Amino acid sequence: MNGRHVRRLLVTLAAFHVAAIQVHAQQDLVQSGPMVGRAEMREVELWVQTRTPATVRFLYWETANPSRRYATHVVRTEVESAGVAHAIADSVEPGRVYAYEVEVNGMTVARPWPQEFRTPPLWQ
């Protein structure tokens, strides 16, 4: 390996290291959750608690069509509300299964469990 390849390799490794630190920092911001709250036919409440004030939004998609994604409005967590964010997934259809992920300060927070919810079937 010549010097140019070594420098390129070191820069690449440094970039991966910085990205890993950022992802870990975002995971550390989450105190509890994310979790699913109330689920209705056309909207589902999603919940997360952060350790410090942060911006939060949820991305979600129907598991049968993962290429079409939706996002909740951005919610700001504050000390006064114990860092809790409630967001509404309102682009859902009755009787379907959706997967979701949470973004904190613009970065996706990975969780080791499946993040899914099911909307109630159309009963009317």
Side-chain angles (χ1 to χ4, degrees):
M1 246 186 200
N2 65 31
R4 191 171 83 205
H5 286 110
V6 170
R7 281 191 301 276
R8 187 177 293 161
L9 177 62
L10 289 174
V11 168
T12 301
L13 289 173
F16 280 123
H17 181 71
V18 168
I21 289 171
Q22 288 176 334
V23 167
H24 184 68
Q26 295 311 95
Q27 290 174 339
D28 285 348
L29 279 177
V30 174
Q31 174 75 30
S32 299
M35 294 185 270
V36 178
R38 92 186 139 70
E40 297 182 10
M41 289 184 292
R42 304 233 183 249
E43 67 179 36
V44 173
E45 181 183 32
L46 300 168
W47 180 96
V48 69
Q49 182 182 29
T50 61
R51 295 181 195 282
T52 60
T55 58
V56 173
R57 83 172 178 157
F58 290 85
L59 303 174
Y60 59 101
W61 57 94
E62 188 178 352
T63 57
N65 187 9
S67 63
R68 183 153 188 195
R69 296 193 172 217
Y70 305 93
T72 65
H73 291 288
V74 173
V75 178
R76 175 107 180 129
T77 62
E78 299 292 346
V79 172
E80 296 80 16
S81 62
V84 174
H86 296 269
I88 303 297
D90 57 4
S91 294
V92 297
E93 295 294 325
R96 309 235 177 123
V97 177
Y98 293 83
Y100 69 93
E101 61 191 18
V102 65
E103 286 183 347
V104 177
N105 294 335
M107 300 279 298
T108 301
V109 177
R111 287 310 206 204
W113 60 82
Q115 298 179 120
E116 292 185 345
F117 61 84
R118 179 182 303 272
T119 53
L122 182 62
W123 60 271
Q124 298 171 329

